[in-house]
Structure formats: C-alpha cells, structure tokens
Amino acid sequence: MKLINKATGVIVLGALLTVALAGCQSNDATPPATGQNTANEQSKGEGATNAPASESSEEKGTEAIKEGSMEKEGNVVLKELAFVYNEHTIAISDTANEDQMEQMLGKPDNLKSHTYSADDGTNMDTLIGFTEKVYTYPGLEIKTISIPEGKQDSIFHIEITDPKYATVRNIKAGDSLDTLKNAYPEGKLLGDGAPNEEDDFRYEPSNYVDVMSFHIKDAKVESIQIYSLLD
C-alpha cells in the first residue's frame, strides 16, 4: 500500500513538473511576441508621422498666387481711352509707325513731322529731340511722338469728329448727351451743362494724365478728344 502511495506521489509530482515546465516555456515565448507587436506599432507610428510630414512639405512647396503677382493683359485704363475702326482698337500709348497707321486706317490725307529743337519757336524745352507726327484723315487726327533714344512712335493725342469712329463704349459724334452719360457714368460735365449751351464732358482716370473729353453742343457730342499729357 505504501508502495502504491509512493508511486502515486511520484506520478503526481511528475505531472506537476510537466505543467510547470510548460508554463515556463510559455512565459519564455511571450517576450518575442510582445517585442514584435511593439515594432509593428512603432512602424505604424512612424508611418502616421511621415504622412503629415509629407503633406506639410507639399503644402510648403506650393506658393499661393498673390493678387498683383500675375501680369494682366494690357493696361485696362488705357484700353478704355480708345476708338474702334474696322475691328482695330486704337488707344492712347499704342505704338504706331507709318506702316501700321496705314494698315489700320488707310493712307492719311496729310502727314506732318516735326522734331523739337531749342530754336524752333515752340518753347517746348522738355520735348527737345522728340519727333511729333500728325496723321490727318477725314474727321480724324492722330498725333504720335517718339523720344530721342529711337524708341517707336506712340500715340498721345486723338481727335474725332466723324461718327464712323466710335469709342470702345460705342459713343460717337452726333450721339445725345443722355446716351453719353449712360455710357460713361464715371464722367462729368465741366460747366453748368445747360442742354442748349456748349460744354465739355470729361472721362478722366485716377492718374489725371490720360483723358477723354467730349465736346457738347446742343445736347449732342460734337467732337471727341483722347489724349495723354506729355511731361
């Protein structure tokens, strides 16, 4: 009986040792698994950190376009100071030599040229060396000027009396004062503006150098002058 009990005790003790060893092996396997999970989490964490960093660098690489940083086509103000003929828009400060003028308007009835000098009797000392040309057509006169350095001629004065030459807002000689006011609400009459008297209606941009002036007679546009003041 004692031998049976001892045998039984040995078996139980062996079983306990087996369980204990299995538990130790299980505990020894845990750290690598835990370490692997930690590496994955770090990898995920690094990926999460890198994504915003990448987006941030892209945002920094894209520059915002600021107002005024992109060049606009032409000068809006000067393009308003213009007239239209045969689909050609001719504006103050446009460059125009004799060939270009003939292509746009045909051959002029008269062409005069004058180079300012100290003894020409004009007392235009600021324009000494400048060459002025005057192109005359029926109902239209255009003046150009070129500076001594040889740059191209540019238009600085236009006078219109023929209704076939209309402004870019379609105002022409013979139009009523009311039509003119509707087309150029920014303009104003310089005098009292009595309908049966002569007056001048002026459209003047904010630079006070480039001007469009309509001469009014009997409540109608008699003539149009577009000009730029020379320094």
CSV table of all heavy atoms in Angstrom, one decimal, residues 115-164:
chain,number,residue,atom,x,y,z
A,115,THR,N,10.5,117.7,-85.5
A,115,THR,CA,11.4,117.4,-84.4
A,115,THR,C,11.7,118.6,-83.6
A,115,THR,O,12.2,119.6,-84.1
A,115,THR,CB,12.8,116.8,-84.9
A,115,THR,OG1,12.5,115.6,-85.7
A,115,THR,CG2,13.7,116.4,-83.7
A,116,TYR,N,11.4,118.6,-82.3
A,116,TYR,CA,11.5,119.8,-81.5
A,116,TYR,C,13.0,120.1,-81.2
A,116,TYR,O,13.8,119.2,-81.0
A,116,TYR,CB,10.8,119.6,-80.1
A,116,TYR,CG,9.3,119.5,-80.2
A,116,TYR,CD1,8.6,118.3,-80.4
A,116,TYR,CD2,8.6,120.7,-80.2
A,116,TYR,CE1,7.2,118.3,-80.5
A,116,TYR,CE2,7.2,120.7,-80.3
A,116,TYR,CZ,6.5,119.5,-80.4
A,116,TYR,OH,5.2,119.5,-80.6
A,117,SER,N,13.3,121.4,-81.3
A,117,SER,CA,14.6,121.9,-81.0
A,117,SER,C,14.6,123.2,-80.2
A,117,SER,O,13.5,123.8,-80.0
A,117,SER,CB,15.4,122.1,-82.4
A,117,SER,OG,14.7,123.2,-83.1
A,118,ALA,N,15.7,123.6,-79.7
A,118,ALA,CA,15.7,124.8,-78.9
A,118,ALA,C,15.3,126.1,-79.6
A,118,ALA,O,14.9,127.0,-79.0
A,118,ALA,CB,17.1,125.0,-78.3
A,119,ASP,N,15.5,126.1,-80.9
A,119,ASP,CA,15.3,127.4,-81.7
A,119,ASP,C,14.1,127.2,-82.6
A,119,ASP,O,14.0,127.9,-83.6
A,119,ASP,CB,16.5,127.8,-82.5
A,119,ASP,CG,17.0,126.7,-83.4
A,119,ASP,OD1,16.4,125.6,-83.3
A,119,ASP,OD2,18.0,126.9,-84.1
A,120,ASP,N,13.1,126.3,-82.4
A,120,ASP,CA,12.0,126.1,-83.3
A,120,ASP,C,10.8,127.0,-83.0
A,120,ASP,O,9.8,127.0,-83.7
A,120,ASP,CB,11.6,124.7,-83.3
A,120,ASP,CG,11.0,124.2,-82.0
A,120,ASP,OD1,10.9,125.0,-81.0
A,120,ASP,OD2,10.7,123.0,-81.8
A,121,GLY,N,11.0,127.9,-81.9
A,121,GLY,CA,9.9,128.8,-81.6
A,121,GLY,C,8.7,128.3,-80.9
A,121,GLY,O,7.8,129.0,-80.6
A,122,THR,N,8.8,127.0,-80.5
A,122,THR,CA,7.6,126.4,-79.8
A,122,THR,C,7.7,126.5,-78.3
A,122,THR,O,6.7,126.3,-77.6
A,122,THR,CB,7.5,124.9,-80.2
A,122,THR,OG1,8.7,124.2,-79.8
A,122,THR,CG2,7.3,124.7,-81.7
A,123,ASN,N,8.9,126.8,-77.8
A,123,ASN,CA,9.2,126.9,-76.4
A,123,ASN,C,8.8,125.6,-75.6
A,123,ASN,O,8.3,125.6,-74.5
A,123,ASN,CB,8.4,128.1,-75.8
A,123,ASN,CG,8.8,129.4,-76.3
A,123,ASN,OD1,10.0,129.6,-76.5
A,123,ASN,ND2,7.9,130.3,-76.5
A,124,MET,N,9.1,124.5,-76.3
A,124,MET,CA,8.8,123.2,-75.7
A,124,MET,C,10.1,122.5,-75.3
A,124,MET,O,10.6,121.5,-75.9
A,124,MET,CB,8.0,122.3,-76.7
A,124,MET,CG,6.7,122.8,-77.1
A,124,MET,SD,5.5,122.9,-75.7
A,124,MET,CE,5.1,121.1,-75.6
A,125,ASP,N,10.8,123.1,-74.4
A,125,ASP,CA,12.1,122.7,-74.0
A,125,ASP,C,12.1,121.2,-73.5
A,125,ASP,O,13.1,120.5,-73.7
A,125,ASP,CB,12.7,123.6,-72.9
A,125,ASP,CG,13.0,125.0,-73.4
A,125,ASP,OD1,13.0,125.2,-74.6
A,125,ASP,OD2,13.2,125.9,-72.6
A,126,THR,N,11.0,120.8,-72.9
A,126,THR,CA,11.0,119.4,-72.4
A,126,THR,C,10.9,118.4,-73.5
A,126,THR,O,11.1,117.2,-73.2
A,126,THR,CB,9.8,119.2,-71.4
A,126,THR,OG1,8.6,119.6,-72.1
A,126,THR,CG2,9.9,120.1,-70.2
A,127,LEU,N,10.6,118.8,-74.7
A,127,LEU,CA,10.5,117.9,-75.8
A,127,LEU,C,11.6,118.0,-76.8
A,127,LEU,O,11.5,117.5,-77.9
A,127,LEU,CB,9.1,118.1,-76.5
A,127,LEU,CG,7.8,117.9,-75.7
A,127,LEU,CD1,6.6,118.2,-76.5
A,127,LEU,CD2,7.8,116.5,-75.2
A,128,ILE,N,12.6,118.7,-76.5
A,128,ILE,CA,13.8,118.9,-77.4
A,128,ILE,C,14.3,117.5,-77.8
A,128,ILE,O,14.6,116.7,-76.9
A,128,ILE,CB,14.9,119.8,-76.8
A,128,ILE,CG1,14.4,121.2,-76.7
A,128,ILE,CG2,16.2,119.7,-77.7
A,128,ILE,CD1,15.4,122.1,-76.0
A,129,GLY,N,14.4,117.3,-79.1
A,129,GLY,CA,14.9,116.0,-79.6
A,129,GLY,C,13.7,115.0,-79.9
A,129,GLY,O,14.0,114.0,-80.6
A,130,PHE,N,12.5,115.3,-79.4
A,130,PHE,CA,11.4,114.4,-79.7
A,130,PHE,C,10.8,114.7,-81.1
A,130,PHE,O,10.8,115.9,-81.5
A,130,PHE,CB,10.3,114.6,-78.6
A,130,PHE,CG,10.6,114.1,-77.3
A,130,PHE,CD1,11.7,114.5,-76.5
A,130,PHE,CD2,9.8,113.1,-76.7
A,130,PHE,CE1,11.9,114.0,-75.3
A,130,PHE,CE2,10.1,112.5,-75.5
A,130,PHE,CZ,11.1,113.0,-74.8
A,131,THR,N,10.3,113.7,-81.7
A,131,THR,CA,9.7,113.9,-83.1
A,131,THR,C,8.2,113.7,-83.0
A,131,THR,O,7.8,112.6,-82.6
A,131,THR,CB,10.4,113.0,-84.1
A,131,THR,OG1,11.8,113.3,-84.2
A,131,THR,CG2,9.7,113.2,-85.5
A,132,GLU,N,7.5,114.7,-83.4
A,132,GLU,CA,6.0,114.5,-83.4
A,132,GLU,C,5.5,114.4,-84.8
A,132,GLU,O,6.0,115.1,-85.7
A,132,GLU,CB,5.4,115.8,-82.8
A,132,GLU,CG,3.8,115.8,-82.8
A,132,GLU,CD,3.3,117.1,-82.2
A,132,GLU,OE1,3.7,117.5,-81.1
A,132,GLU,OE2,2.4,117.7,-82.9
A,133,LYS,N,4.6,113.5,-85.0
A,133,LYS,CA,3.9,113.3,-86.3
A,133,LYS,C,2.4,113.4,-86.2
A,133,LYS,O,1.8,113.0,-85.2
A,133,LYS,CB,4.2,111.9,-86.9
A,133,LYS,CG,5.7,111.6,-87.2
A,133,LYS,CD,6.0,110.2,-87.7
A,133,LYS,CE,7.5,110.0,-88.0
A,133,LYS,NZ,7.7,108.6,-88.4
A,134,VAL,N,1.8,114.1,-87.2
A,134,VAL,CA,0.4,114.3,-87.2
A,134,VAL,C,-0.2,113.7,-88.4
A,134,VAL,O,0.1,114.0,-89.6
A,134,VAL,CB,0.1,115.8,-87.2
A,134,VAL,CG1,-1.4,116.1,-87.1
A,134,VAL,CG2,0.8,116.5,-86.0
A,135,TYR,N,-1.1,112.7,-88.2
A,135,TYR,CA,-1.8,112.0,-89.3
A,135,TYR,C,-3.2,112.6,-89.4
A,135,TYR,O,-4.0,112.5,-88.4
A,135,TYR,CB,-1.9,110.5,-89.0
A,135,TYR,CG,-0.6,109.8,-88.8
A,135,TYR,CD1,0.2,109.8,-87.7
A,135,TYR,CD2,0.0,109.0,-89.9
A,135,TYR,CE1,1.4,109.2,-87.5
A,135,TYR,CE2,1.2,108.4,-89.8
A,135,TYR,CZ,1.9,108.5,-88.6
A,135,TYR,OH,3.1,107.8,-88.5
A,136,THR,N,-3.6,113.1,-90.6
A,136,THR,CA,-4.9,113.7,-90.7
A,136,THR,C,-5.7,112.8,-91.7
A,136,THR,O,-5.3,112.6,-92.8
A,136,THR,CB,-4.7,115.1,-91.3
A,136,THR,OG1,-3.9,115.9,-90.4
A,136,THR,CG2,-6.1,115.8,-91.4
A,137,TYR,N,-6.9,112.4,-91.2
A,137,TYR,CA,-7.9,111.7,-92.1
A,137,TYR,C,-9.2,112.6,-92.0
A,137,TYR,O,-9.4,113.4,-91.1
A,137,TYR,CB,-8.2,110.3,-91.5
A,137,TYR,CG,-6.9,109.4,-91.4
A,137,TYR,CD1,-6.1,109.5,-90.3
A,137,TYR,CD2,-6.7,108.6,-92.5
A,137,TYR,CE1,-5.0,108.6,-90.3
A,137,TYR,CE2,-5.6,107.7,-92.4
A,137,TYR,CZ,-4.7,107.8,-91.3
A,137,TYR,OH,-3.6,106.9,-91.3
A,138,PRO,N,-10.1,112.3,-92.9
A,138,PRO,CA,-11.4,113.0,-92.8
A,138,PRO,C,-12.1,112.7,-91.4
A,138,PRO,O,-12.4,111.5,-91.1
A,138,PRO,CB,-12.2,112.4,-93.9
A,138,PRO,CG,-11.2,112.0,-94.9
A,138,PRO,CD,-10.0,111.5,-94.1
A,139,GLY,N,-12.3,113.7,-90.6
A,139,GLY,CA,-12.9,113.5,-89.3
A,139,GLY,C,-12.1,112.9,-88.3
A,139,GLY,O,-12.6,112.5,-87.2
A,140,LEU,N,-10.8,112.8,-88.5
A,140,LEU,CA,-9.9,112.1,-87.5
A,140,LEU,C,-8.5,112.7,-87.6
A,140,LEU,O,-7.9,112.9,-88.7
A,140,LEU,CB,-9.8,110.6,-87.8
A,140,LEU,CG,-8.9,109.8,-86.9
A,140,LEU,CD1,-9.3,109.8,-85.5
A,140,LEU,CD2,-8.7,108.4,-87.5
A,141,GLU,N,-7.9,113.0,-86.5
A,141,GLU,CA,-6.5,113.4,-86.4
A,141,GLU,C,-5.8,112.7,-85.3
A,141,GLU,O,-6.3,112.6,-84.1
A,141,GLU,CB,-6.4,114.9,-86.2
A,141,GLU,CG,-5.0,115.5,-86.1
A,141,GLU,CD,-4.9,116.9,-85.9
A,141,GLU,OE1,-4.8,117.3,-84.7
A,141,GLU,OE2,-4.9,117.7,-86.9
A,142,ILE,N,-4.6,112.1,-85.6
A,142,ILE,CA,-3.9,111.4,-84.6
A,142,ILE,C,-2.4,111.9,-84.5
A,142,ILE,O,-1.8,112.1,-85.6
A,142,ILE,CB,-3.8,109.9,-85.0
A,142,ILE,CG1,-5.3,109.3,-84.9
A,142,ILE,CG2,-2.9,109.1,-84.0
A,142,ILE,CD1,-5.3,107.8,-85.3
A,143,LYS,N,-2.0,112.1,-83.3
A,143,LYS,CA,-0.6,112.6,-83.1
A,143,LYS,C,0.2,111.5,-82.4
A,143,LYS,O,-0.3,110.9,-81.4
A,143,LYS,CB,-0.6,113.9,-82.3
A,143,LYS,CG,-1.3,115.1,-83.0
A,143,LYS,CD,-1.2,116.3,-82.1
A,143,LYS,CE,-1.9,117.5,-82.7
A,143,LYS,NZ,-1.8,118.7,-81.9
A,144,THR,N,1.4,111.3,-82.9
A,144,THR,CA,2.4,110.4,-82.3
A,144,THR,C,3.6,111.1,-81.9
A,144,THR,O,3.9,112.2,-82.4
A,144,THR,CB,2.7,109.2,-83.2
A,144,THR,OG1,3.5,109.7,-84.3
A,144,THR,CG2,1.5,108.5,-83.7
A,145,ILE,N,4.4,110.6,-81.0
A,145,ILE,CA,5.7,111.1,-80.5
A,145,ILE,C,6.7,110.1,-80.3
A,145,ILE,O,6.3,109.0,-79.9
A,145,ILE,CB,5.5,112.0,-79.3
A,145,ILE,CG1,6.7,112.9,-79.0
A,145,ILE,CG2,5.2,111.2,-78.1
A,145,ILE,CD1,6.4,114.3,-78.9
A,146,SER,N,7.9,110.3,-80.7
A,146,SER,CA,9.0,109.4,-80.4
A,146,SER,C,10.1,110.1,-79.7
A,146,SER,O,10.4,111.3,-79.9
A,146,SER,CB,9.5,108.8,-81.7
A,146,SER,OG,10.1,109.8,-82.5
A,147,ILE,N,10.7,109.4,-78.7
A,147,ILE,CA,11.8,110.0,-77.9
A,147,ILE,C,13.1,109.9,-78.6
A,147,ILE,O,13.3,109.0,-79.5
A,147,ILE,CB,11.8,109.4,-76.5
A,147,ILE,CG1,12.1,107.9,-76.6
A,147,ILE,CG2,10.5,109.6,-75.8
A,147,ILE,CD1,12.2,107.3,-75.2
A,148,PRO,N,14.1,110.7,-78.3
A,148,PRO,CA,15.4,110.7,-79.0
A,148,PRO,C,16.1,109.4,-79.0
A,148,PRO,O,16.9,109.1,-79.9
A,148,PRO,CB,16.2,111.7,-78.2
A,148,PRO,CG,15.2,112.6,-77.6
A,148,PRO,CD,14.1,111.7,-77.2
A,149,GLU,N,15.9,108.5,-78.0
A,149,GLU,CA,16.6,107.2,-78.0
A,149,GLU,C,16.2,106.3,-79.1
A,149,GLU,O,16.8,105.2,-79.2
A,149,GLU,CB,16.4,106.5,-76.6
A,149,GLU,CG,17.2,107.2,-75.5
A,149,GLU,CD,16.5,108.5,-75.0
A,149,GLU,OE1,15.4,108.8,-75.5
A,149,GLU,OE2,17.1,109.1,-74.1
A,150,GLY,N,15.3,106.7,-79.9
A,150,GLY,CA,15.0,105.9,-81.1
A,150,GLY,C,13.9,104.9,-80.8
A,150,GLY,O,13.7,103.9,-81.6
A,151,LYS,N,13.1,105.0,-79.7
A,151,LYS,CA,12.0,104.0,-79.5
A,151,LYS,C,10.9,104.3,-80.4
A,151,LYS,O,10.8,105.4,-81.0
A,151,LYS,CB,11.6,104.1,-78.0
A,151,LYS,CG,12.6,103.6,-77.0
A,151,LYS,CD,12.0,103.6,-75.6
A,151,LYS,CE,13.0,103.0,-74.6
A,151,LYS,NZ,12.5,103.0,-73.3
A,152,GLN,N,10.0,103.4,-80.5
A,152,GLN,CA,8.9,103.5,-81.5
A,152,GLN,C,8.0,104.7,-81.2
A,152,GLN,O,7.8,105.1,-80.0
A,152,GLN,CB,8.1,102.2,-81.6
A,152,GLN,CG,8.8,101.1,-82.2
A,152,GLN,CD,7.9,99.8,-82.3
A,152,GLN,OE1,7.0,99.6,-81.5
A,152,GLN,NE2,8.1,99.1,-83.4
A,153,ASP,N,7.3,105.2,-82.3
A,153,ASP,CA,6.3,106.3,-82.1
A,153,ASP,C,5.2,105.7,-81.2
A,153,ASP,O,4.8,104.6,-81.4
A,153,ASP,CB,5.8,106.7,-83.4
A,153,ASP,CG,6.9,107.3,-84.3
A,153,ASP,OD1,8.0,107.4,-83.8
A,153,ASP,OD2,6.6,107.5,-85.5
A,154,SER,N,4.6,106.6,-80.4
A,154,SER,CA,3.5,106.2,-79.6
A,154,SER,C,2.4,107.3,-79.7
A,154,SER,O,2.7,108.5,-79.8
A,154,SER,CB,3.8,105.9,-78.1
A,154,SER,OG,4.3,107.1,-77.5
A,155,ILE,N,1.2,106.9,-79.7
A,155,ILE,CA,0.0,107.8,-79.9
A,155,ILE,C,-0.2,108.6,-78.6
A,155,ILE,O,-0.2,108.0,-77.5
A,155,ILE,CB,-1.2,107.1,-80.3
A,155,ILE,CG1,-1.1,106.4,-81.6
A,155,ILE,CG2,-2.4,108.0,-80.3
A,155,ILE,CD1,-2.2,105.4,-82.0
A,156,PHE,N,-0.3,109.9,-78.6
A,156,PHE,CA,-0.6,110.7,-77.4
A,156,PHE,C,-1.8,111.6,-77.6
A,156,PHE,O,-2.2,112.2,-76.6
A,156,PHE,CB,0.7,111.5,-77.0
A,156,PHE,CG,0.9,112.7,-77.8
A,156,PHE,CD1,0.5,114.0,-77.4
A,156,PHE,CD2,1.7,112.7,-79.0
A,156,PHE,CE1,0.7,115.1,-78.2
A,156,PHE,CE2,1.9,113.8,-79.8
A,156,PHE,CZ,1.4,115.0,-79.3
A,157,HIS,N,-2.3,111.7,-78.8
A,157,HIS,CA,-3.5,112.6,-79.0
A,157,HIS,C,-4.3,112.1,-80.2
A,157,HIS,O,-3.8,111.8,-81.2
A,157,HIS,CB,-3.0,114.1,-79.3
A,157,HIS,CG,-4.1,115.1,-79.2
A,157,HIS,ND1,-5.0,115.3,-80.2
A,157,HIS,CD2,-4.4,115.9,-78.2
A,157,HIS,CE1,-5.8,116.3,-79.9
A,157,HIS,NE2,-5.5,116.7,-78.7
A,158,ILE,N,-5.6,112.1,-79.9
A,158,ILE,CA,-6.6,111.7,-80.9
A,158,ILE,C,-7.8,112.6,-80.9
A,158,ILE,O,-8.3,113.0,-79.8
A,158,ILE,CB,-7.2,110.2,-80.6
A,158,ILE,CG1,-6.0,109.2,-80.6
A,158,ILE,CG2,-8.2,109.9,-81.7
A,158,ILE,CD1,-6.4,107.8,-80.1
A,159,GLU,N,-8.2,113.1,-82.0
A,159,GLU,CA,-9.4,114.0,-82.1
A,159,GLU,C,-10.3,113.4,-83.2
A,159,GLU,O,-9.9,113.2,-84.3
A,159,GLU,CB,-9.0,115.4,-82.4
A,159,GLU,CG,-10.2,116.3,-82.4
A,159,GLU,CD,-9.9,117.8,-82.5
A,159,GLU,OE1,-8.7,118.1,-82.6
A,159,GLU,OE2,-10.8,118.7,-82.4
A,160,ILE,N,-11.6,113.3,-82.8
A,160,ILE,CA,-12.6,112.6,-83.7
A,160,ILE,C,-13.8,113.5,-83.9
A,160,ILE,O,-14.3,114.1,-82.9
A,160,ILE,CB,-13.1,111.3,-83.1
A,160,ILE,CG1,-11.9,110.3,-82.9
A,160,ILE,CG2,-14.1,110.7,-84.0
A,160,ILE,CD1,-12.3,109.1,-82.0
A,161,THR,N,-14.2,113.7,-85.2
A,161,THR,CA,-15.4,114.5,-85.5
A,161,THR,C,-16.3,113.7,-86.4
A,161,THR,O,-17.5,114.1,-86.6
A,161,THR,CB,-15.0,115.8,-86.1
A,161,THR,OG1,-14.2,115.6,-87.3
A,161,THR,CG2,-14.3,116.7,-85.2
A,162,ASP,N,-15.8,112.6,-86.9
A,162,ASP,CA,-16.6,111.8,-87.8
A,162,ASP,C,-17.3,110.6,-87.1
A,162,ASP,O,-16.6,109.9,-86.3
A,162,ASP,CB,-15.8,111.2,-89.0
A,162,ASP,CG,-16.6,110.6,-90.1
A,162,ASP,OD1,-17.5,109.8,-89.8
A,162,ASP,OD2,-16.2,110.9,-91.3
A,163,PRO,N,-18.6,110.4,-87.2
A,163,PRO,CA,-19.3,109.3,-86.5
A,163,PRO,C,-18.9,107.9,-86.8
A,163,PRO,O,-19.3,107.0,-86.1
A,163,PRO,CB,-20.8,109.6,-86.8
A,163,PRO,CG,-20.8,110.4,-88.0
A,163,PRO,CD,-19.5,111.2,-88.0
A,164,LYS,N,-18.1,107.7,-87.9
A,164,LYS,CA,-17.7,106.4,-88.2
A,164,LYS,C,-16.6,105.8,-87.2
A,164,LYS,O,-16.3,104.7,-87.2
A,164,LYS,CB,-17.2,106.3,-89.6
A,164,LYS,CG,-15.9,107.0,-90.0
A,164,LYS,CD,-15.6,106.8,-91.4
A,164,LYS,CE,-14.3,107.5,-91.8
A,164,LYS,NZ,-14.0,107.4,-93.3
